[in-house]
Amino acid sequence: MAQWTSAVGAAQLARLLNSQQDRPAPGTRRPPAYRALADGIRLLVLEGRVPVAARLPAERELALSLSVSRTTVAAAYEALRGEGFLESRRGAGSWTAVPAGNPLPARGLEPLPPEALGSVIDLGCASLPAPEPWLTRAVQGALEELPPYAHTHGDYPAGLPALRAMIAERYTARGVPTMPEQIMVTTGAMGAIDAICHLFGGRGERIAVESPSYANILQLMREAGARLVPVAMAEGLSGWDMDRWRQVLRESAPRLAYVVADFHNPTGALADEDQRRRMVDAARSAGTVLVADETMGQLWLDEKYADGGMPRPVCAFDPAGSTVITVGSASKAFWAGMRIGWVRAAPDVIRSLVAARAYADLGTPVLEQLAVNWLFSTGGWEQALDLRRAQARENRDALVAAVRRELPNWEFEVPDGGLTLWVRAGGLSGSRLAEAGERVGVRVPSGPRFGVDGAFEGYVRLPFTVGGAVAEEAAARLAAAAHLVETGATGGTEAPRTFVA
């Protein structure tokens, strides 16, 4: 019986491997071809871009796709078997593995367990600690409101009526008239997008996505069986090329398109009103449902966006409600542990999403909904956001200064909001930087996690989750990781230094 559970084609593996090519440091020699191939496959497994237990192509097929000799591929496979990253059996082929004692690679950007935080600086997860005292106050307020709900079955597939009404009021106050019937409360934004993908984007359906885009959403869509159609973002913070979007939507006719128009993750770009209007028009013309992710929308860090300075929501350019589905969340703006998200859409779409929910998670925890409703109704939300913005702004400035000092050849633009820097890593491989970072005690996601088929190998994403001395130490460790990559240092492990904030 075969031990593999999926397969990677020769052409796909060749694309992923070719995306890793980075320039050697002056004075260093390239490793033998078989060693470079083995290292490339190992790196793809460690990053989760090739799954564990995935059947690899036959030696002859991969040799043809890479234009190398079969002997080179055979030697690379043998090296991987010796290291524990490949298993083989006659008649069943070869499949990826991880050596005993190694953790399975995460395919998303899961946070480190708390016990690891003393020795590793985690720049993988773009989330901040809770803005106290507002979390505690919100939970206390929720407990006071809980008794009447405790006398019911506790099942609210569309969300608590009070919270749905409050969210609808907040959209109306932003200039987008909304009824409670247009709102469904979900378990975070991920729960919202998962429900939308299952309703509109069945297996094999095309979904247009920004390139780069949010890694966890891309993985969610892949696992739902979607065919991702990347649409390249413009360089820097200018964001969206509307002519390119219109062309892709017209030619590919995707069922869905997913965009983060508000402080885009990972680039930090902010779409202006003209871009939003043209994006909605292009989607409407193509018959594409446009999913607008607003989870970063309230995290503006420049005061010019206060008092109504932000562009109108994407859904404001879809008055008929036939094209845009909006997703919001408390998880980025308030706290990742507050798993409350929501969908704003036409009432018939909401009814379909609610009906489908009976076969998924049934509903969202009542206590957390009450806590978010308490924040919205008391003004606590706005005060918590003031704390969150101040913390993110301070962290951003500290991280920017530290990276510019330690790594002056790394390139990036400083966004006006959101939680992330999108950094071109001075010609180095982002995947190799991520691997080296693990050895020196800093965890950073590589650019290809945010792309399709190996794009953005020369980038890393740095979130504003640390500040002060921790930001300085993180930049120093990134510089150490960059040195390991530049000098071609492989093998062995540098023990991470314990850091006490």
Side-chain angles (χ1 to χ4, degrees), residues 216-271:
N216 285 339
I217 293 296
L218 295 181
Q219 190 59 36
L220 182 156
M221 292 173 175
R222 290 187 189 103
E223 293 183 358
R227 297 165 59 191
L228 300 184
V229 181
V231 186
M233 297 281 285
E235 285 292 320
L237 298 178
S238 55
W240 295 261
D241 182 333
M242 287 300 105
D243 291 334
R244 184 177 294 159
W245 267 98
R246 184 172 292 277
Q247 178 183 359
V248 169
L249 294 184
R250 182 177 63 247
E251 294 177 355
S252 299
R255 186 72 180 93
L256 288 175
Y258 170 76
V259 298
V260 186
D262 299 284
F263 304 119
H264 176 261
N265 187 354
T267 69
L270 176 68

Side-chain angles (χ1 to χ4, degrees), residues 258-433:
Y258 170 76
V259 298
V260 186
D262 299 284
F263 304 119
H264 176 261
N265 187 354
T267 69
L270 176 68
D272 60 31
E273 293 210 350
D274 181 63
Q275 288 173 319
R276 294 169 190 241
R277 179 182 294 105
R278 294 177 64 190
M279 193 179 299
V280 173
D281 289 345
R284 184 182 297 114
S285 297
T288 297
V289 175
L290 182 64
V291 181
D293 185 336
E294 291 188 332
T295 53
M296 294 284 191
Q298 297 186 69
L299 288 174
W300 50 262
L301 306 181
D302 193 307
E303 289 300 324
K304 68 185 178 184
Y305 299 113
D307 300 322
M310 282 286 291
R312 286 177 289 169
V314 174
C315 58
F317 303 95
D318 179 36
S322 59
T323 299
V324 177
I325 297 177
T326 303
V327 171
S329 173
S331 298
K332 291 295 187 187
F334 185 75
W335 183 47
M338 188 67 78
R339 303 305 305 158
I340 298 296
W342 52 86
V343 177
R344 181 201 180 274
D348 61 317
V349 173
I350 295 297
R351 287 192 293 270
S352 296
L353 289 170
V354 171
R357 196 170 196 181
Y359 309 102
D361 64 357
L362 294 177
T364 301
V366 169
L367 189 63
E368 292 184 27
Q369 292 187 71
L370 289 172
V372 172
N373 193 59
W374 184 92
L375 288 166
F376 284 158
S377 60
T378 61
W381 179 263
E382 283 69 29
Q383 295 183 66
L385 271 179
D386 286 342
L387 288 176
R388 172 65 80 235
R389 293 187 188 111
Q391 184 181 19
R393 186 183 302 114
E394 181 179 329
N395 286 357
R396 179 197 63 184
D397 295 346
L399 187 64
V400 165
V403 172
R404 283 178 171 164
R405 181 176 61 253
E406 297 284 347
L407 294 150
N409 62 329
W410 286 21
E411 302 171 44
F412 55 87
E413 292 191 38
V414 182
D416 291 335
L419 289 171
T420 58
L421 287 179
W422 183 237
V423 181
R424 183 183 282 112
L428 301 179
S429 158
S431 297
R432 298 184 191 283
L433 280 167

Side-chain angles (χ1 to χ4, degrees), residues 11-100:
Q12 179 189 7
L13 184 57
R15 284 197 304 273
L16 292 170
L17 289 165
N18 288 332
S19 74
Q20 294 177 338
Q21 300 301 320
D22 56 323
R23 63 186 185 221
T28 62
R29 293 190 303 172
R30 288 189 179 275
Y34 85 90
R35 183 69 261 173
L37 176 55
D39 287 346
I41 294 174
R42 176 176 53 83
L43 199 59
L44 291 172
V45 173
L46 288 172
E47 281 215 309
R49 290 161 60 201
V50 168
V52 175
R55 186 178 186 274
L56 293 186
E59 294 170 2
R60 188 184 302 277
E61 294 175 38
L62 186 57
L64 287 172
S65 291
L66 291 173
S67 299
V68 299
S69 71
R70 183 177 177 181
T71 302
T72 296
V73 177
Y77 278 14
E78 184 59 34
L80 289 168
R81 276 190 288 270
E83 296 165 3
F85 285 94
L86 197 68
E87 295 180 8
S88 304
R89 193 168 69 241
R90 186 178 298 277
S94 299
W95 56 92
T96 56
V98 291

